[in-house]
Each structure stands twice: as C-alpha cells, then as structure tokens.
Amino acid sequence: MLGEHHDLVHEFPEFRDQIHALKVSNSHFARLFDEYHQLDRQIRRIEQQVETASDEYAETLKRHRLQLKDELYRMLRQAVA
C-alpha cells in the first residue's frame, strides 16, 4: 500500500511497552529498530515519488524491511515469554 505507515507501534500495538523496554535495554534491538524505521521512511519517500528508484531496488528495500520486521517481532515475542 502506497504511503502506508509501517512503524512498529502501528504494526504491533500490543507490544508498545515491550518495544520501548527493548529499545532502552537491548542495543541490538535498538539498532535493528532504527534500521527498520530508516528503511520504512526511504520506502515511503519512493512510493510518494519524493525520491526515484527502480522497481527492483524498491522491492529489495521492502524485502529487507520485512526481514527486519520478522526479526524484531521474534525478539518482541521472546521478551513477553
């Protein structure tokens, strides 16, 4: 979906508290969190045609964002368990 927000709090509202706690206490989570959000901003800029990129490059960014999201979700689930 074009221009949709994919930030983690919108994606996983049930983990709002865990997201904050892990950002503060886990440097690996914090680094992945920042990388995820930088990618999300870049993808939104491409989708909104603020920046130009080939379709192949945009799809590569989206796949990387999805991989990061999966890893962050796994870390959030482990934090709750």
Side-chain angles (χ1 to χ4, degrees):
M1 308 268 175
L2 294 181
E4 223 177 81
H5 290 277
H6 289 275
D7 64 275
L8 288 183
V9 174
H10 279 95
E11 293 289 315
F12 307 124
E14 70 276 17
F15 290 114
R16 177 183 300 271
D17 294 337
Q18 288 82 8
I19 290 169
H20 176 71
L22 283 172
K23 278 178 22 184
V24 172
S25 67
N26 185 318
S27 62
H28 180 63
F29 182 90
R31 184 183 59 76
L32 293 178
F33 178 90
D34 289 343
E35 184 179 350
Y36 175 86
H37 284 91
Q38 287 173 355
L39 271 174
D40 187 52
R41 280 190 296 276
Q42 185 177 5
I43 291 166
R44 275 202 324 268
R45 290 179 60 83
I46 291 169
E47 290 175 342
Q48 295 167 349
Q49 298 178 342
V50 174
E51 293 181 15
T52 57
S54 70
D55 289 343
E56 183 179 323
Y57 181 68
E59 290 304 313
T60 298
L61 293 178
K62 289 177 183 180
R63 281 191 298 276
H64 186 58
R65 178 180 65 184
L66 184 58
Q67 290 170 341
L68 287 170
K69 182 178 171 182
D70 288 345
E71 169 112 10
L72 290 161
Y73 180 71
R74 183 186 58 75
M75 293 174 81
L76 288 165
R77 297 272 312 207
Q78 286 178 345
V80 173

